[in-house]
Amino acid sequence: MPDAAELNDMISRPGEGYAISQMAVAPVDTGSLRMHIKAYANGPDGPYLEGRLALYHQVHELFALLAAEPPNKGMKGYELKDSFIGGEEADLIMLTVSHEERSQEDIAYNVLLCSKNAVGERRARIRDGVRIGGMCVAEEFGYRGEFRSSVHPLALPLNLSEVYVLMDALAAYERGCSRFDPHGRTARRIAGMIKRELSGYAKEKLGSRLEGMGFAQLEEVDPMFVPDIPGDKVPEGRSSQVANWLLYEKAGRWARVCLAGGGSVQGIILPRAELGRFFASRPQAARDGAAQADSRPKCVVWRSDDDYDVIDWADVVDVRRE
């Protein structure tokens, strides 16, 4: 199927273009056309992810071009509410494009191709909480209608072998973390959400394997989205703030690490992926880490004087932005 721009170019061409334009001697059967587009879009050969939004834009433009032909006078356009994109998918699209700040008008007119009021209604519903793929998402989008979200939707249509590998990787990662390390606690939370989604059959088949991983008593976690914001701003009732300390590490922000003894250290928390290179370049830092009772990865804070502190995560009681 040519996209809208290609179709317009074909019709505009002299000679063969004129012959194509004369084919519109009767109104387009929009019902049949919509049905075929939906079957293609939602079928195994249809596009995925951003490709679905691109197809929706093409079809929307195609219907506008067809409606401009005299035989199709009064033809209804291809609107979001009647398209192959469902309500949950539209919410996910809105959340995904909001990873970078977008205005309500921009999302309405350039992304979802709908009215500003329709986007406002979706915004209000997500603020109050919606269920997407079994996961509860409640997100605030900022001021003056601005949208900024940290929701990154993941589609995981895994078979049992793939579930086994993923759970095994999460278990191994958690074992490499100390008890209070937020990396390990986050890995266990992810594993708990996956276990919550498994059927009884899957749990039975994987039972002995989960036990071997140390996940026999793994607590199932309801798939609740946790805002990627500092702990002291997490709404009451959400997950422990400790997982949100990772925001500072991920963003490389200057932070104050508050310690159990009452003191604090200021600097940048180094990502786990950089610790090996860091310790290799600073043998004393490696010795400082090994001298601890638990030799697994620590909270390493790089200070402004180019020196560092190696801290047990068990001694960290809070992380705040400076």
Side-chain angles (χ1 to χ4, degrees):
M1 179 187 294
D3 65 28
E6 292 169 338
L7 181 63
N8 189 44
D9 180 60
M10 291 166 61
I11 293 176
S12 302
R13 245 181 263 150
E16 62 175 338
Y18 177 78
I20 292 172
S21 67
Q22 294 308 297
M23 293 172 63
V25 295
V28 173
D29 182 355
T30 57
S32 177
L33 181 57
R34 289 172 187 272
M35 181 184 69
H36 282 89
I37 290 172
K38 185 174 184 178
Y40 163 71
N42 294 334
D45 297 325
Y48 290 87
L49 304 175
E50 295 86 355
R52 285 179 61 81
L53 183 60
L55 177 63
Y56 166 63
H57 280 212
Q58 291 174 355
V59 175
H60 187 278
E61 188 176 353
L62 172 62
F63 270 64
L65 288 170
L66 291 174
E69 295 295 315
N72 301 316
K73 185 177 181 180
M75 172 181 165
K76 184 179 179 182
Y78 198 74
E79 304 299 332
L80 178 65
K81 60 184 178 64
D82 300 318
S83 72
F84 60 82
I85 292 179
E88 286 187 357
E89 185 175 4
D91 289 342
L92 281 176
I93 290 171
M94 194 170 75
L95 289 166
T96 302
V97 300
S98 301
H99 293 164
E100 296 182 8
E101 192 169 288
R102 305 285 288 266
S103 69
Q104 190 164 315
E105 291 86 351
D106 184 22
I107 293 176
Y109 304 144
N110 298 320
V111 179
L112 294 180
L113 307 182
C114 62
S115 70
K116 180 181 173 182
N117 287 341
V119 171
E121 290 173 2
R122 289 186 180 278
R123 180 182 189 274
R125 287 193 302 103
I126 293 176
R127 181 189 61 214
D128 295 335
V130 295
R131 292 272 175 181
I132 299 177
M135 178 179 69
C136 179
V137 176
E139 182 68 289
E140 183 54 66
F141 292 101
Y143 304 102
R144 302 194 188 104
E146 293 172 344
F147 286 66
R148 179 180 289 168
S149 165
S150 63
V151 176
H152 283 247
L154 296 175
L156 296 173
L158 307 180
N159 63 36
L160 278 184
S161 296
E162 293 165 337
V163 169
Y164 165 69
V165 170
L166 179 56
M167 295 290 276
D168 192 39
L170 290 169
Y173 186 84
E174 187 197 17
R175 286 195 297 272
C177 299
S178 65
R179 177 184 173 190
F180 297 96
D181 189 334
H183 302 84
R185 300 176 86 172
T186 299
R188 191 172 186 85
R189 176 175 174 270
I190 294 170
M193 286 195 290
I194 295 172
K195 185 178 180 182
R196 174 68 176 80
E197 296 296 304
L198 295 180
S199 66
Y201 170 81
K203 291 175 184 176
E204 180 181 355
K205 288 293 183 181
L206 294 178
S208 61
R209 298 291 183 265
L210 293 177
E211 184 175 356
M213 298 173 195
F215 277 167
Q217 305 301 320
L218 176 67
E219 181 181 356
E220 295 184 9
V221 178
D222 287 334
M224 168 71 77
F225 171 74
V226 177
D228 196 7
I229 56 178
D232 57 356
K233 295 182 181 179
V234 174
E236 186 178 354
R238 293 294 177 88
S239 295
S240 169
Q241 66 175 7
V242 69
N244 301 101
W245 296 347
L246 298 178
L247 171 66
Y248 296 100
E249 175 187 304
K250 179 191 70 177
R253 293 178 180 174
W254 193 264
R256 178 186 294 274
V257 179
C258 302
L259 307 177
S264 66
V265 177
Q266 297 182 56
I268 297 174
I269 303 174
L270 295 183
R272 282 176 61 103
E274 296 181 11
L275 292 186
R277 185 165 60 249
F278 175 80
F279 284 134
S281 64
R282 294 172 178 261
Q284 182 58 45
R287 287 193 291 272
D288 289 345
Q292 307 286 337
D294 185 343
S295 62
R296 287 177 289 189
K298 311 295 179 183
C299 174
V300 179
V301 182
W302 191 6
R303 304 196 309 258
S304 59
D305 59 2
D306 200 33
D307 208 344
Y308 58 87
D309 287 282
V310 180
I311 306 166
D312 267 325
W313 280 107
D315 294 331
V316 178
V317 295
D318 198 7
V319 178
R320 302 171 184 170
R321 185 172 184 175
E322 281 298 304

